[in-house]
Structure formats: C-alpha cells, structure tokens
Amino acid sequence: MHGKRILLIVGGGISAYKIPQLIRLIRAQGAAVTPVLTASGAQFTTPMTLSVLAGEPVHDTLWDRNSEAEIGHIQLSRNADLVVVAPATADLMAKIAQGQANDLASTLLLATDKRVLIAPAMNVRMWDHPATQRNLATLKDDGILTVGPDNGDMACGEYGAGRMAEPETIVAAIRDALTPAARPLTGRHVIVTSGPTHEPIDPVRYIANRSSGAQGTAIAAALRDLGAQVSFVTGPATVAPPEGVSVIAVETARQMHDAVQAALPADAAVMAAAVADWHVVGASDRKMKKDGSGQPPAFEMAENPDILAWISHADDRPDLVVGFAAETNDVIAHATAKRLRKGCDWIMANDVSPPTGIMGGSENAVTLISDTGAEEWPRMGKDAVAGCLAERIAAHLNGKTI
Ligand code: CTP
C-alpha cells in the first residue's frame, strides 16, 4: 500500500466513529488518505478529527470555490488509487446505484475512473430491504467491491447483518483491491539499472547526461507490482526510487557494473540506465584550477565497461536480458544492430531526439526489437510502457507469448 492514495468518503452512520481508527491503520501501511465527509457523516464525526488524522484537509462541499479552483472534484477522484466509502449508508448505496451526483461524495463517485470499495453499514431491516439488496446487486454488477457488513448487535438495539466491517478488515480489503490479482513474477529476481551515471573530473565536476531515471523507476515499480524481487541499481536520478525494491545507489558506470555483477544471479535484467560511455582517466582528487595560460585542460578519456554487453555474455546470464537503445536518427536500424552487437534478447528502441521530448519527459514511444522482429508500441506514459514491458517479461519467463 506504500505510496498509494485512498479517497475516503465518510457517510452518515454511527459506525463513522471507527473511521479515525481506519485512517490511522491506512496511514500506518504507508498510504495517504484524502478524506471526504458527507453532510450526514459530519453528524457523527468531525472534519477536524479526520483532517488531523489524515494530515490533509477534509473536502465536504461541492460548492467551495477555493477548493474547486485548486483541485476540481474530477481531479480529486482521479488522483486516488482507490475510492473507499465507509460507512456506506443505504442512501449512499442508492445514490451510487442510480448515478446521482447532487453532492460532493456522489459526484466524486460518478466522476472516478478508479476502483471503488464500499463498507456498508446500516440497520438490519434497511440492509435486508429489497431496495438495498437491488442496489447492492447493481453495484456489484458495476464492478464495485464490497467489504462486510458483519452480523452483530446494532447501535439501534437490534441484532443482525448491517454492522460495518472492522477497520482491520477494511484495510485488508483495501490491500487486496490495490494489488493486481495476478502476481506472475512472484519468486523471480529482476535487476533493473536506471538513471544517468556521473563520471568525475575532479571532486566538484563531472560528466553526466539528461536522463531523469523516470523510465527505469517505472519499470522497477511495475515489476515489483507483478511480484518480482527487484534489485534497482540507480545512478544519480532526479526521480525518487520506488518503494518496495532493493535500491543500490551508484555514481559511476564502473560502480554500476560492479553492483550489477554483485546482484546476480537473476531471472531477468532490464538495463534502462543511460550509462556514460567514457570516464576521465585519473580524475583529479583536488579541484582543478586554471593555470593562467588560457589553455583548457586536455582530458584523457577511457571507455566504460558496457554493462549490457557484459551481462548478455556472463556465465550466469539471466534468462532474459533487455536493453534500451536511445537513438536520435535511424532508430530501428541502429537499435537492431545494437541488439546483435550487445547480445541481449530484447531492445526497447526509442527516439530521444529533442523534438520528441522523451528524454526527461513523462511519455515514451518505443519499438520492441527481438529475434522475431520489431513491434512498434503507441506513444504512451512511461508508467504504461513499464506496465506493458513487465507483463511481457512475466509472460516470457512463464513460457507464454502475448
Ligand atoms: N549500456 C550499458 N553500459 C554502457 C553503455 C550502455 O549497459 N556502458 C546499456 C544501456 O543501459 C542501454 C543500452 O546499453 O540498455 C544502449 O545504450 P545506448 O546509450 O543507446 O548505447 P551505446 O552503448 O551508448 O551505443 P552507441 O554509442 O552506439 O549509441
């Protein structure tokens, strides 16, 4: 659940008193909570309690001009990874089933493109009523997930089904809803390199490149989501490494090579780093000074180890080795030649010429080149590219073709 965001809609029921505990538990798992309070929910718990525990403001009206200007309700429902309704009253269930949008909560539920999990809570007769059961069937048909209700004594003195599931049970349901059902890379170890390398000239200067590490980071996260154990060998990237992977931070190409070697054996390796091709021989251990002659220093450069070529020929070579080919012209021809030269199985070829905006941008357009030919993927976000690649790696390692 680390790094995930839950949009938590709190309806009006006595079990709303359990919501502060639910927020605590969700946050303890590393997820963030955006609380939304309905007007009737505010009769049972206060905006102050929710916002203090969530560490974020509570959203409670559709008509707040400030909040609508800063973050519209559509955005609010889309920024989340999962929408949770707890307690989900009979009224809220009816609204969702009918697609009503007459307050903030129902509007968010109609506008979201994320999975929705509801924790119903109501009097047993309301729960058993054919109207509620009809609504429940509609919600399930629409793909809405449910947790509870439990049987037990009710606040109204009756006994039966209708008590909201306990916060621990709701958290378990949230975890399941967030985790892709299939984790086909469980038990597999994958090495991912990412980011640029820095090649020192002296203690304060270095040679680098414009790689942000965004694509490699997204690939590591996607592999992790499919259950892989990921060794993430990263140069000094500008994006933060993902949670839930083993991060091995390096600076130079030579360090990256050593780290990859130490991380073997692995089932697969994805070399997404923009490794510097050369380093300065005998980098100075003191800051270099101008000598007054007006002549710039002449650097002797030496080639760095080619990590992709090396791992492709290593004794304990992973079953699948994937490289990237960042090219500015004749992309497919260069990438095809590069795959053969380096000996990897697949090459993800991409055009990094400045007009594409790919280097440092959020999108990528790749062509997957393998021994069966070149397959052009549509331009999409780097996360989506990562997801597709992770699925392909899983299928390959499991002996399937997709
Ligand atoms: N690569 C590597 N080690 C290097 C250089 C590159 O592992 N020393 C890997 C990259 O991570 C990438 C692939 O090789 O997966 C291709 O990188 P690219 O920079 O496109 O290729 P170059 O080796 O620099 O080839 P060229 O000089 O022909 O562009």
Side-chain angles (χ1 to χ4, degrees), residues 122-390:
M122 64 198 73
N123 166 275
V124 57
R125 291 187 201 289
M126 292 168 75
W127 176 251
D128 285 340
H129 194 285
T132 303
Q133 291 302 313
R134 250 193 332 267
N135 290 335
L136 178 66
T138 304
L139 297 181
K140 287 189 171 170
D141 272 357
D142 290 347
I144 289 180
L145 307 166
T146 58
V147 52
D150 294 344
N151 281 311
D153 287 318
M154 318 215 101
C156 52
E158 298 199 54
Y159 180 90
R163 279 164 56 114
M164 187 176 80
E166 288 304 318
E168 287 77 3
T169 313
I170 299 176
V171 170
I174 292 173
R175 202 180 304 114
D176 288 347
L178 286 170
T179 312
R183 291 166 68 85
L185 288 174
T186 301
R188 305 285 194 169
H189 175 214
V190 185
I191 301 171
V192 178
T193 67
S194 181
T197 63
H198 284 182
E199 307 297 331
I201 295 170
D202 68 15
V204 296
R205 303 182 179 94
Y206 54 83
I207 298 171
N209 60 62
R210 295 186 198 282
S211 166
S212 63
Q215 187 63 84
T217 300
I219 291 168
L223 291 163
R224 172 207 61 196
D225 287 346
L226 293 190
Q229 179 215 331
V230 179
S231 294
F232 184 63
V233 183
T234 176
T238 50
V239 299
E243 301 282 343
V245 303
S246 307
V247 180
I248 304 134
V250 298
E251 199 171 330
T252 67
R254 287 162 291 165
Q255 289 167 356
M256 187 173 274
H257 173 264
D258 293 348
V260 168
Q261 192 165 17
L264 283 171
D267 297 287
V270 182
M271 305 282 104
V275 186
D277 289 322
W278 306 283
H279 65 269
V280 175
V281 176
S284 172
D285 54 9
R286 293 184 177 186
K287 185 183 172 200
M288 294 173 67
K289 308 291 279 180
K290 294 188 286 291
D291 65 7
S293 69
Q295 291 298 311
F299 296 127
E300 189 191 336
M301 309 277 281
E303 201 163 305
N304 277 327
D306 189 318
I307 305 164
L308 177 61
W310 169 80
I311 200 170
S312 298
H313 296 96
D315 288 341
D316 44 359
R317 180 195 200 279
D319 284 347
L320 180 67
V321 178
V322 183
F324 273 77
E327 309 289 347
T328 55
N329 57 288
D330 302 317
V331 177
I332 304 301
H334 281 315
T336 303
K338 199 170 275 183
R339 186 181 86 82
L340 295 173
R341 191 168 71 243
K342 299 206 182 202
C344 56
D345 302 296
W346 299 350
I347 277 244
M348 306 283 283
N350 57 356
D351 182 349
V352 292
S353 54
T356 65
I358 283 173
M359 205 85 171
S362 61
E363 291 198 327
N364 209 347
V366 301
T367 300
L368 192 161
I369 297 174
S370 67
D371 59 357
T372 56
E375 180 186 313
E376 193 180 338
W377 292 5
R379 190 177 171 116
M380 51 185 146
K382 287 184 177 175
D383 285 349
V385 169
C388 292
L389 177 61

Side-chain angles (χ1 to χ4, degrees), residues 65-91:
R65 261 199 268 148
N66 284 340
S67 121
E68 199 57 19
E70 273 168 31
I71 175 165
H73 55 267
I74 305 269
Q75 203 54 33
L76 200 57
S77 69
R78 299 213 170 151
N79 282 349
D81 295 290
L82 180 72
V83 180
V84 176
V85 187
T89 57
D91 177 61

